[in-house]
Amino acid sequence: MEIQNVILRGSFNPTVSSVQTRKARLFTKLAVPFLSEIGFPKWVSMKCDCSFHSDTKRNLQRCRNRAQKAECKGISDVEEDKPKAKIRRKNLAVFVSGGGSNFRSIHEATLNGSVHGDIVVLVTNKHDCGGAEYACCKGIPVIVFPTRKDKEDVFSAEDLVIALKSLKVDFILLAGYLKLIPAALIRAYPKAILNIHPSLLPAFGGKGYYGMKVHKAVIASGARYSGPTIHYVDEQYDTGCILAQRVVPVLAKDTAEELAARVLHEEHKLYVEVSAALCEERITWREDGVPLIQSKENPNNYR
Ligand SMILES: Nc1nc2c(c(=O)[nH]1)N[C@@H](CN(C=O)c1ccc(C(=O)N[C@@H](CCC(=O)O)C(=O)O)cc1)CN2
Ligand SMILES: NCC(=O)N[C@@H]1O[C@H](COP(=O)([O-])[O-])[C@@H](O)[C@H]1O
């Protein structure tokens, strides 16, 4: 069954210029053998509308080098440019539905060495969102999930698990993804799916609490503090184990937009810190089931 909705580097656009079409064909020629080589299912359909970026070739070559190194050295301590202390570089999947500013900050952190990992795929329910556009321009494959209801070719949760396992994804980071993650995916990635929420959970979380709705509710409540929460994902919205939080003040005359901007600024820093801890294997679990982050500077300190 050909899967129509696995889109690499953006959705197909019939108005694409002839130059872009030629470039898209070049990417298809380049990517399919590579993706097939690393075992990415051959039923991937190739639809692109972004102009070909030279860094795509470098990215794919870098991944190919790492894949080949992994073959000959064993997965454990394959290192790319900067060897880290025997910790395997992790593969990340990021899920978005909107602009993707958290996605971008994590991606930049993987490129500048702050996060010891690579974003190998973006998953979104909105093929034309800002996050998908950014992924397209950076040569990051995009999977659309869930498919729109009117699509005859349904790409199931099980198909998504196959695709993510094919890409050897270690961790899934939700960053503004607005759909419920299905149980099949949660079972396939135990203690490996995180979400960032723009309030101090458990307050102002759950179904209906997303985006500006959260900040409006915080202001209307008279709360004096808010801030981002990063938590593990379970089968309900926002009820998983809390891993990290940051606090920001709610000012007397704050608009929802002003509060949102203050919280988002902290989100970007917090998600990079947490992603770094995840990829460096600095997450431990307390006996009562609370996850802790081991300090990089002082391994005897946890938060
Ligand atoms: N199984 C889980 N899936 C998801 C979780 C989770 O904790 N467990 N977190 C959400 C992210 N999120 C808050 O952080 C969240 C996202 C969306 C909603 C919501 O009410 N969505 C609406 C639909 C909105 C839309 O389609 O535009 C709804 O379900 O009616 C609440 C919280 C990601 N997935
Ligand atoms: N309940 C989920 C939720 O509201 N998530 C929020 O969506 C925004 C996505 O921004 P981004 O796309 O710029 O990263 C972020 O503020 C994130 O906390």
Side-chain angles (χ1 to χ4, degrees), residues 2-76:
E2 182 170 313
I3 301 294
Q4 288 304 322
N5 71 314
V6 182
I7 298 170
L8 293 176
R9 294 167 39 75
S11 56
F12 181 69
N13 174 346
T15 61
V16 152
S17 73
S18 58
V19 171
Q20 280 184 316
T21 306
R22 269 203 314 279
K23 289 179 178 176
R25 286 205 191 100
L26 172 62
F27 176 79
T28 302
K29 215 178 334 182
L30 183 76
V32 172
F34 166 74
L35 292 173
S36 308
E37 185 181 307
I38 62 168
F40 198 87
K42 289 189 174 51
W43 33 255
V44 169
S45 69
M46 308 296 295
K47 293 183 175 176
C48 318
D49 70 352
C50 300
S51 59
F52 187 83
H53 281 247
S54 58
D55 61 354
T56 300
K57 206 182 294 184
R58 255 199 321 277
N59 284 350
L60 288 173
Q61 191 50 50
R62 202 159 68 84
C63 292
R64 184 196 299 272
N65 292 345
R66 197 163 55 253
Q68 281 161 353
K69 275 186 188 171
E71 286 304 311
C72 64
K73 279 188 71 179
I75 300 290
S76 58

Side-chain angles (χ1 to χ4, degrees), residues 220-240:
S221 76
R224 284 345 190 239
Y225 293 95
S226 190
T229 299
I230 294 178
H231 63 93
Y232 282 90
V233 166
D234 64 15
E235 298 195 11
Q236 287 74 43
Y237 282 136
D238 304 331
T239 54

